[in-house]
Structures are given as structure tokens and as C-alpha cells.
Amino acid sequence: MVSSFLFILGLFTVSHVHAASPVVQSKAGVYHGRYLSEFDQDLFLGVQYAPKPLRFAPSELARNTPGKHYNVTQYGTDCLGYGSDTNLLVREGWTKLGEDCLHLNIVKPRTNQTNLPILLWIYGGGWQQGATSDPRYNMSYLVQQSVLNKKPVIGISINYRMAAFGFLYSQEIASSGNQNLGLRDQRTAFKWVNHHIAAFGGDPTKVTIWGESAGAYSVGDHLNAYNGNAEGLFRAAILESGGAIGPPINGTEWYQAMYNNLTASVGCSGADDTLQCLRTVPYETIAPYGYQGLEWFHVIDGSLVPRYGEESLIRGKFAKIPIILGTNTDEGFGVNGVNTDAQAVEQILTSKRWNVNETEAKKLLELYPNDPTLGEPYGWGNRTWPENGLQWKRYQSIATDLTMYAPRRLLAESMSKYVEGVYSYRWDAPKFNSTPNTIGVNHFSEIPFVFGNTNQRITPLGNSSANIELSKRVMRMWTSFAYDLNPNGHGVADLPNWPQYSKEPSNFVFRADRSYVEDDTDRTEGVAFINTIIR
């Protein structure tokens, strides 16, 4: 795990706190931040939006303490650190993590403008790991580009509980109403921003929520939450490689087995109230089992997740707001070792990510033939990687469309029926990497570009002028969208216009050599069939 100290050292190499350090007085408290001279930005790090929550219970918005002073110059405790080695953390006594971790960070440009729009980041990591202190999510470069484009925004990133601590589920959890705690943490953070960001110069009516992977799925859940009631907490959204459908939100038997294993592992299986017993187990005892070897996802709870995501989209029960959404060309959600039709069907049926029956699985094989020229990674012709499986490219295509591509198209189609300002993309950079271990444009490929961190120890942009220029362009598009709901206000002369999806079902294709617009017609029949499966 990257410590807060190393993170700050990596980001702010020569900066220091001096007399210009910012102070903000608000109803929440008096916040003493730090000034980042390299970017001319004020930072408020580790701002607590909720006190330490009761384990396996919802968080509560931090109370107002208008006269209390807070030093917010360092990142707060991670809920679960980026790249954390759980064995190492066990040996260190889990001192790098904690349950008092519900903090957010604010990056504000020094500008004469007030009422700045907000771009609020929700990290991914499968809802199993992640942290705002991950240096790949440094928002200073992004905010800097917004200023250079004369459309300044405030960047905010939020921590939330993950793995069992944020998404534990069982009959016991359901009966106590404690589902989807990580998502509820995010909603609590939204409310803190709504109540207090004006004191920092932000406009609470102009919040764009933004996430990638599990962060984008989180955004999709907030679109569907409470039958589409955004509660005035956000006006727009950006979803990178994730959407409003899946991953699994049923599977009660699966979750119950994991819950039972957890209680047995920490000595609570014989308790009269196993949930209460789990709350009393010391953190260093339960943490290894809460984070290791288990995958906890969101579930239907009747309110924040009211129903299957696809049902919400079909019924129009979602927040109708402008969005940017997209996927990478070769997301790569298949598995190795698929050699036959029977194995492909077996993998589709046994995956916990999809709610697909055998008839539907066999239909998918018809719609996605075992033709390597059609499989993923796309654009490689007849080339195959038999060591990954004789039907690896076929299964990769099916898995990616089930997980990412088809849900992206359904959300774009559904949202564009109600609002303008729907912009869809396909990320296609870098392209055709011939390195055997880096095949295609995979999941997470866009992250170095959208954050633009040029520290070569952290991101792979390197010295490539084409990569750096593409990074600046996409950062300006994202911040321009947050500023006035139009990604075309980027100020770059040589880019094609990005059309609204409602007027022209299309994708803006991001490439380092030449970006362009394409019709959104790839794998039409297969994607249409996938979007009839309720999941």
C-alpha cells in the first residue's frame, strides 16, 4: 500500500506549507489546508465527512462544529489501501488501515471566480480495494487543465468502505437493513459536499459525480437510487468502464455462505446474534477475513438499489441527467482455459457477474461465433493466443459485452430518450501493443490519461508527446463537461465535434494518433440480445 507520506512526497516534490496556506471557515468547522505552489491550488486533505461508523451499520453525516479547527494537510486513513498486500498488513498489525476512514479531499484552484462546478471522483477496485491516496488519482493535473481552459472546477475525491466492511450481505444483514454500506457512504459524502462546499467556493448545484469500474457502477447505482431521485446532490455524471447494470445483486445463497465463513473464521458462528458478535471482534482480527478471498458486491435493498439495474433503465426509473459514458476497446473480462463450447457455457453459467441461464448462454455462442477475426482483443485478425485457451478471444468478447459494452449502450439509449447531453465514447489508446503481456486496450487503460499525472514512476504516459497531448485533451473534455455540460468546450482546434448520442448514436473514439467519431453499431445483434437479459 502507498502511504499518505509517500503519496504526498511523489505528488508535491518541492512544495511546502507557508504563509499562504488556506483557511476556510464553514458550518462544518475551520479548515486549515495547504497551498500547492506548483499548481497554484489549495488542498484540503482528509476532511472527515462522517465520524467513525458502527461496523456493519450506515454512516452518519458529520455534525456541524463551526468553531472547531481542523488540520487538513495530510490524507486521512485509507479504508483499504491501493495495492495492499494483506499478508504484509497482517504482520504490521493493520496499522495502515482503519474503520475511521470516511474522508474526502478537495483540490481548489486559486481563482477570482466563485461558485465553481464540482467534479467528484469515486475510485474503482471491484469494491474490494482502493483509496483516494492512490497517486494515480491525483486531481491536481486535471484541475490545472480546467484553469488553463478558462473553465475552472473543484476536484473532490472520496473514501468509502469496501469488501465485507462496505458490502457484507446475508439474511442477518438484510433483516437489519444494513445493505450496501459502501454506496451509502458515498451518498453521505455527497450530502457533506452539498451542505458545505459553498464555503470552499464551490456550487452545490453543479456537482458531476465521476467514477471508473466499480466507481462507475457506483455512479450507475446513484442514477437508479430511490427510483431516480438524485436528491439535488448531483446534476451530471461520468461513467468510465462501468454502468447502471451489474455486477451481481442477487445470489443470496452465495453471500450467505461467505457470511457464514466469516463468522466461523472469527469465532462468531455460535453466537446468538452473529452480526453483533462481528461488530465486537477486534479490527485486526476481522480485517484479514473481511478483505481476503471474498468478493462482496451491491445487492437489491429496495431503496438505494431498488431493483435490477436493467429494470430501472427499461422502466425509466433513473435520474435523467447529462452523462459521459464509455468503455475501452478490449476491456478483457474473460478467463483463460476456455477451449470448447461446453466450457464456454459452463463459464458463463458459473460466473457470479451475470444472471444468465443455459438457454441464454447457448444463444450467446450463436451470436458470438468462434471466429478469431471477430474476437477480443479486436483488430488482431486471425492471431490467437492458444496458451490462453482455444476459444479465448470468443469468450473475451462475450464476457466484455456482458460486463461493460452492452450495459453502456443500454444506458446511452435509455438516457438519451429523456435528456440531451448524452456523450458516449470508446477508448482506443494505446493501440495494437505487440508486447505479449499487454494485449489490446484493456480495462483501466484510460486512467493515466484522464488524470494526466506526468510522474513516470506512477503512470505510463512516458515522454510520448502524443500521449501527453491526448491526456490534456481528455482532461479538458471532462472538466468542460463538469463546467457547462458540454465536453466540446475544450479549446483544442484539431478535434472533431463530439455529437450527442440522442442526435447520432455514436462513439467518440479516443486515440493518440487521430481521434474520430464512429457509429455505435459494433456487435449489434449480440449486444441487443444481452440487453434483454435482466441482470
Side-chain angles (χ1 to χ4, degrees):
M1 182 173 70
V2 178
S3 71
S4 297
F5 172 76
L6 289 177
F7 178 41
I8 291 172
L9 181 64
L11 296 183
F12 315 133
T13 309
V14 299
S15 99
H16 56 278
V17 178
H18 53 67
S21 296
V23 178
V24 167
Q25 298 186 13
S26 72
K27 292 180 180 179
V30 182
Y31 293 97
H32 297 259
R34 65 181 297 174
Y35 175 63
L36 186 60
S37 59
E38 297 94 317
F39 293 89
D40 196 26
Q41 294 169 354
D42 292 331
L43 309 181
F44 304 90
L45 308 175
V47 177
Q48 189 173 49
Y49 67 81
K52 180 180 178 179
L54 175 66
R55 187 182 298 162
F56 305 130
S59 56
E60 297 181 358
L61 188 66
R63 294 181 179 180
N64 290 345
T65 52
K68 187 173 181 179
H69 290 254
Y70 296 93
N71 181 342
V72 286
T73 58
Q74 303 285 333
Y75 285 89
T77 302
D78 292 344
C79 294
L80 177 60
Y82 138 70
S84 53
D85 178 341
T86 49
N87 292 323
L88 173 63
L89 293 171
V90 169
R91 292 196 299 272
E92 294 183 353
W94 292 85
T95 56
K96 296 180 186 291
L97 303 178
E99 294 178 273
D100 191 8
C101 61
L102 300 185
H103 303 92
L104 56 81
N105 312 295
I106 301 170
V107 179
K108 179 184 180 297
R110 289 207 167 177
T111 172
N112 293 327
Q113 290 184 239
T114 58
N115 300 322
L116 297 182
I118 314 300
L119 187 52
L120 188 153
W121 169 250
I122 306 172
Y123 53 73
W127 287 324
Q128 314 306 311
Q129 66 172 359
T132 59
S133 64
D134 184 333
R136 295 172 298 183
Y137 302 147
N138 170 22
M139 299 190 80
S140 283
Y141 298 89
L142 184 80
V143 171
Q144 181 186 51
Q145 285 300 317
S146 76
V147 174
L148 293 174
N149 193 35
K150 297 182 174 55
K151 294 187 175 183
V153 303
I154 292 176
I156 295 179
S157 57
I158 62 174
N159 273 354
Y160 60 94
R161 286 174 289 176
M162 292 164 291
F165 294 95
F167 294 91
L168 188 74
Y169 186 66
S170 67
Q171 294 177 354
E172 293 82 357
I173 291 291
S175 62
S176 62
N178 290 310
Q179 309 98 313
N180 300 317
L181 298 178
L183 294 173
R184 296 179 189 276
D185 291 344
Q186 296 169 13
R187 203 80 172 188
T188 301
F190 297 173
K191 292 177 180 178
W192 191 96
V193 171
N194 183 266
H195 291 175
H196 301 298
I197 200 60
F200 294 81
D203 187 338
T205 70
K206 295 181 179 180
V207 174
T208 297
I209 56 175
W210 167 39
E212 183 268 347
S213 193
Y217 282 120
S218 297
V219 171
D221 279 329
H222 292 297
L223 293 178
N224 291 336
Y226 309 110
N227 294 317
N229 182 5
E231 303 179 287
L233 300 175
F234 51 89
R235 69 164 182 173
I238 300 175
L239 303 91
E240 298 176 20
S241 299
I245 299 173
I249 52 179
N250 54 348
T252 303
E253 294 181 2
W254 177 48
Y255 287 120
Q256 188 68 48
M258 292 198 299
Y259 177 90
N260 293 342
N261 288 337
L262 178 61
T263 58
S265 298
V266 298
C268 286
S269 57
D272 292 336
D273 186 336
T274 56
L275 179 55
Q276 183 56 33
C277 180
L278 290 175
R279 288 176 172 146
T280 62
V281 173
Y283 178 71
E284 61 270 18
T285 300
I286 193 173
Y289 301 103
Y291 291 126
Q292 284 185 310
L294 306 175
E295 286 191 296
W296 303 92
F297 300 103
H298 63 178
V299 294
I300 295 173
D301 60 20
S303 56
L304 198 152
V305 183
R307 62 186 66 83
Y308 285 104
E310 188 168 51
E311 290 182 326
S312 289
L313 295 185
I314 292 172
R315 294 170 58 182
K317 299 288 188 179
F318 56 87
K320 282 78 172 179
I321 59 173
I323 59 173
I324 288 175
L325 74 170
T327 59
N328 300 342
T329 298
D330 310 300
E331 290 281 357
F333 278 82
V335 296
N336 292 351
V338 175
N339 295 299
T340 67
D341 287 11
Q343 289 176 341
V345 169
E346 180 185 9
Q347 286 294 332
I348 293 170
L349 296 179
T350 57
S351 173
K352 303 303 182 187
R353 295 182 179 275
W354 316 305
N355 185 31
V356 176
N357 62 38
E358 185 172 359
T359 299
E360 292 164 338
K362 291 180 178 178
K363 179 65 173 178
L364 285 171
L365 296 193
E366 295 177 14
L367 296 172
Y368 291 79
N370 188 29
D371 180 350
T373 65
L374 302 176
E376 180 194 313
Y378 300 109
W380 290 76
N382 284 314
R383 181 174 176 181
T384 61
W385 290 263
E387 66 273 18
N388 293 341
L390 299 179
Q391 295 197 17
W392 180 67
K393 291 183 72 175
R394 177 196 209 180
Y395 187 75
Q396 285 275 99
S397 187
I398 294 172
T400 285
D401 284 3
L402 280 165
T403 307
M404 295 288 176
Y405 198 79
R408 188 273 313 162
R409 184 174 291 169
L410 182 60
L411 178 55
E413 292 172 343
S414 301
M415 188 69 78
S416 63
K417 293 177 182 178
Y418 297 92
V419 299
E420 294 187 348
V422 175
Y423 299 91
S424 182
Y425 74 85
R426 179 169 64 87
W427 189 268
D428 200 42
K431 184 63 175 172
F432 298 147
N433 190 321
S434 60
T435 304
N437 293 329
T438 309
I439 304 168
V441 184
N442 309 118
H443 193 61
F444 207 78
S445 292
E446 86 289 0
I447 287 295
F449 294 86
V450 298
F451 283 94
N453 191 332
T454 56
N455 186 324
Q456 292 183 40
R457 292 182 298 127
I458 296 171
T459 60
L461 294 181
N463 293 320
S464 167
S465 59
N467 283 350
I468 293 171
E469 285 305 310
L470 176 59
S471 176
K472 290 179 180 178
R473 291 170 182 178
V474 69
M475 286 191 288
R476 288 195 176 197
M477 285 178 157
W478 268 215
T479 54
S480 175
F481 180 76
Y483 188 87
D484 57 17
L485 305 179
N486 183 2
N488 290 302
H490 44 68
V492 179
D494 61 344
L495 283 179
N497 181 71
W498 189 347
Q500 297 183 34
Y501 199 89
S502 59
K503 297 179 179 179
E504 181 182 342
S506 59
N507 300 314
F508 190 96
V509 181
F510 287 95
R511 288 185 58 133
D513 53 359
R514 181 185 62 85
S515 298
Y516 59 92
V517 176
E518 67 179 9
D519 293 338
D520 185 21
T521 55
D522 282 354
R523 305 181 297 284
T524 300
E525 191 176 3
V527 168
F529 175 72
I530 289 172
N531 284 336
T532 66
I533 302 171
I534 301 299
R535 62 203 193 285

